[in-house]
Amino acid sequence: MIQFPEGTPRSVIDRAASGPRKPATDPTLGVPLPPEMAAQRTGTPPHRLVVIGDSLSQGFQSFAIHNTDLSYPAIIARELGWQRAFRFPRYRSHGGLPLNLEYLLRALEDRHGATLGWWDLPLAPFTVQSWMSEVEDYWERGPGSVTPPAAPINHNLSMFGWDLRDSLEWTFDRCAGVLAGNPPSNDLLDQPVENAAFRAALRVYPRATAEQRAMTLFDAARALGEQGDGSSESGIETLIVFLGANNALKAATNLEVAWSAPGFDRLGAKSHYTVWTPEHFRQEYDEMIERVQRISARHVILCTVPHVTIAPITNGIGGKLGPRSRYFDHYVYPWVTESTFSSHTDKHLSGEDARAIDYAIDAYNDHLEAVVREARDNGKDWLLLDTAALLDNLASRRFYEDPSARPAWWTGYELPGELAALSPPLTTRFLAADGNGGRSEGGLFSLDGVHPTTVGYGILAQEFVTTMRAAGVPFYHPDGTPRKDPINVDFDRLILRDTLIRHPPQNIGSTKDIIGWIDEILDLTGSSFGGGVLGTQE
């Protein structure tokens, strides 16, 4: 009998009785649409791609939003031949917001070399402080604190840290109000950029008029859907909605399970919770779906919530719970080792905690399937991209390295040829350098252990491209001529742009000691890679 920690919701325990959720390999869920629908589609919608999401859709990487031209939506837009028209916010200077770990590691490497010896420890914190002071000054008081001039509504309407409630309620005016009421303190001891998410949001949300400044992400997408010259039945060709991960992610990044309770649906009050019960998630998701239904889009793609305990920010140690189990005895941060771990002093999740989180997410995704199936039954061209199954099939330690733990449906993931040719092979392990300018392991996740590298985003983009093409979305060359199937993402370009793959900082060793050292100084995991960046604002 499966054991669960005390306090696990009954709905999670009941969901576990059905076993691990099987992937939805068919985006249509086997529900065909009336054949006359395709014939009724005329013209090309003016907005070929609009995305509403969180950090995974915005392009977050190594604890920063920076290279937004390498987000998966931007990669898709390029493959559509629509990159010049695709609008997205930019955060170009000082490694972006709130703190680019890659930039920080390179600053330490330039000053102290590829290894951080005992003789460097007295001076290295000053290197960190000096670098972070520049970043803080730029975004809090310098040019980065100035909101760019108003422009047409972005096509990438994604915000790091946003969960379902955040996406439903935050607007430009509300974010600006938080910043106006909380001026930066310039604290020499607490140097990460204050209210970084709200600063980033001002570049995402529309702001040209008073009406736009009161828009949520869904209002902004609805406004895009209403635009057009009358030659098409909708203003948006493909709408991607990828939300919900931050309703469970904080349990993994904070290594703490706090099930949602009253207040889960209120800004501020919800910050006490790290993982939503299936009932609360359904309530939030259904309210979001009501907003999506008001948006005029030819195709809508919903994405399942990935199993957050697979990301390498949670490092399984101590062996598996039992034969054929997917779960380790304990989950700790990547810089904590088997030999140094203490259950009394180190933050950790138990294997039973991880299992409960995963089954809660399975319940979330069961509901997503039901939402898409109902929409298709009603004649809407809604599709499901099973991003949870994608990560499951890539999971290195959970499945690749333990065949006995693989469910019957597990197939693994065949990497595109360009990525399969890389050496060492790409894995979901925490990124590590080889000391000679290259990479020794990992490569699918960036330095925050949560968000993909550039080639990882490319894999996600490829899954969307394949789904869109199956739905009949046309792809074009830059000169406007149609592309022939199969439509493949340009991974050679992404490899060239992926600095973590080509030449990662050499001071990230296999034990991740320096990342752990930075975490001790800055409490990055305490501020959370998702959700916790919002503080407790009402």
Side-chain angles (χ1 to χ4, degrees):
M1 182 178 178
I2 297 177
Q3 299 296 316
F4 286 100
E6 183 178 354
T8 301
R10 183 73 237 178
S11 56
V12 174
I13 297 172
D14 291 342
R15 176 59 188 81
S18 300
R21 174 180 166 271
K22 295 180 180 179
T25 56
D26 177 4
T28 71
L29 302 179
V31 182
L33 296 177
E36 59 269 19
M37 275 192 63
Q40 293 171 356
R41 293 170 178 160
T42 59
T44 299
H47 306 292
R48 300 208 58 208
L49 178 66
V50 174
V51 181
I52 304 175
D54 52 33
S55 55
L56 281 171
S57 300
Q58 196 179 15
F60 206 81
Q61 191 177 101
S62 295
F63 203 54
I65 185 63
H66 179 41
N67 290 326
T68 46
D69 63 317
L70 294 173
S71 67
Y72 79 76
I75 297 170
I76 297 170
R78 183 183 179 91
E79 300 304 331
L80 282 167
W82 198 61
Q83 67 269 30
R84 293 180 182 272
F86 186 69
R87 298 190 292 266
F88 55 92
R90 290 172 167 82
Y91 309 87
R92 288 172 170 159
S93 293
H94 291 72
L97 283 164
L99 167 65
N100 194 316
L101 282 173
E102 180 182 355
Y103 277 49
L104 177 53
L105 285 179
R106 293 193 190 281
L108 283 166
E109 186 176 19
D110 288 345
R111 181 69 182 272
H112 303 284
T115 58
L116 198 63
W118 62 266
W119 53 88
D120 292 302
L121 292 179
L123 296 177
F126 292 100
T127 302
V128 173
Q129 184 182 54
S130 175
W131 184 84
M132 290 194 62
S133 179
E134 292 183 18
V135 175
E136 181 187 34
D137 285 344
Y138 178 83
W139 290 110
E140 291 184 356
R141 286 165 289 278
S145 66
V146 179
T147 304
I153 297 174
N154 283 316
H155 295 113
N156 192 349
L157 295 165
S158 303
M159 251 310 301
F160 74 80
W162 261 217
D163 62 19
L164 291 168
R165 178 53 47 186
D166 298 315
S167 71
L168 290 167
E169 295 201 23
W170 287 109
T171 65
F172 180 92
D173 276 346
R174 294 188 76 169
C175 293
V178 170
L179 292 172
N182 295 272
S185 61
N186 196 24
D187 190 335
L188 292 177
L189 299 178
D190 185 16
Q191 286 198 308
V193 177
E194 295 178 44
N195 291 305
F198 295 110
R199 296 181 189 282
L202 297 188
R203 297 167 185 253
V204 174
Y205 281 86
R207 54 194 179 275
T209 66
E211 179 185 13
Q212 286 192 358
R213 290 193 294 273
M215 286 181 172
T216 66
L217 299 176
F218 297 97
D219 296 330
R222 184 178 182 182
L224 293 175
E226 292 170 351
Q227 296 176 2
D229 58 7
S231 64
S232 174
E233 84 284 3
S234 64
I236 298 172
E237 185 170 36
T238 300
L239 171 66
I240 294 172
V241 181
F242 192 175
L243 285 163
N246 284 327
N247 290 82
L249 178 60
K250 200 159 62 166
T253 58
N254 289 14
L255 296 179
E256 178 184 4
V257 176
W259 294 100
S260 59
F264 72 91
D265 54 353
R266 297 200 311 272
L267 297 177
K270 68 181 179 64
S271 65
H272 300 295
Y273 310 125
T274 64
V275 55
W276 268 233
T277 68
E279 296 85 356
H280 292 160
F281 181 90
R282 284 197 298 271
Q283 183 175 322
E284 296 285 84
Y285 203 85
D286 286 347
E287 185 173 342
M288 183 202 76
I289 289 298
E290 290 178 7
R291 310 287 184 90
V292 175
Q293 290 171 337
R294 303 172 194 170
I295 301 170
S296 180
R298 185 174 288 180
H299 313 279
V300 175
I301 302 176
L302 300 183
C303 307
T304 55
V305 177
H307 290 121
V308 297
T309 55
I310 291 177
I313 190 61
T314 53
N315 176 37
I317 61 172
K320 294 291 187 75
L321 289 179
R324 304 178 61 83
S325 176
R326 294 178 288 166
Y327 301 101
F328 290 87
D329 290 335
H330 300 98
Y331 288 82
V332 296
Y333 291 128
W335 45 88
V336 177
T337 65
E338 298 265 5
S339 61
T340 63
F341 170 68
S342 168
S343 61
H344 301 292
T345 58
D346 290 312
K347 292 190 71 173
H348 65 281
L349 295 174
S350 68
E352 291 82 1
D353 287 329
R355 181 162 53 199
I357 295 166
D358 279 1
Y359 275 117
I361 290 174
D362 281 349
Y364 300 172
N365 292 334
D366 290 343
H367 184 62
L368 266 68
E369 283 195 51
V371 168
V372 172
R373 183 171 286 105
E374 181 180 1
R376 294 190 67 83
D377 284 338
N378 292 328
K380 298 178 181 178
D381 196 0
W382 286 29
L383 303 143
L384 185 73
L385 180 58
D386 201 341
T387 43
L390 170 63
L391 185 56
D392 284 347
N393 280 325
L394 285 166
S396 298
R397 299 191 69 207
R398 180 170 291 191
F399 294 135
Y400 267 102
E401 298 171 17
D402 185 1
S404 71
R406 298 172 185 172
W409 46 257
W410 189 85
T411 61
Y413 187 84
E414 183 177 353
L415 291 172
E418 301 93 330
L419 301 187
L422 294 176
S423 180
L426 296 174
T427 71
T428 59
R429 284 179 170 270
F430 202 95
L431 185 71
D434 63 8
N436 295 307
R439 174 179 57 89
S440 64
E441 66 179 358
L444 291 176
F445 282 87
S446 67
L447 293 172
D448 58 32
V450 174
H451 299 90
T453 55
T454 296
V455 297
Y457 278 122
I459 292 171
L460 188 54
Q462 183 66 69
E463 295 300 308
F464 279 107
V465 167
T466 301
T467 300
M468 292 164 65
R469 190 69 199 100
V473 176
F475 285 71
Y476 298 95
H477 293 288
D479 63 3
T481 58
R483 293 178 63 176
K484 296 180 179 180
D485 291 325
I487 308 296
N488 295 320
V489 166
D490 185 354
F491 280 101
D492 285 332
R493 179 183 77 93
L494 298 183
I495 291 170
L496 288 174
R497 293 289 306 275
D498 196 330
T499 54
L500 292 177
I501 293 297
R502 296 180 61 224
H503 47 84
Q506 293 302 293
N507 49 9
I508 44 171
S510 59
T511 60
K512 280 73 70 174
D513 285 344
I514 195 167
I515 301 285
W517 175 77
I518 292 172
D519 179 64
E520 286 185 11
I521 295 176
L522 304 177
D523 191 27
L524 297 180
T525 49
S527 65
S528 175
F529 295 102
V533 293
L534 299 179
T536 57
Q537 300 293 338
E538 294 289 352

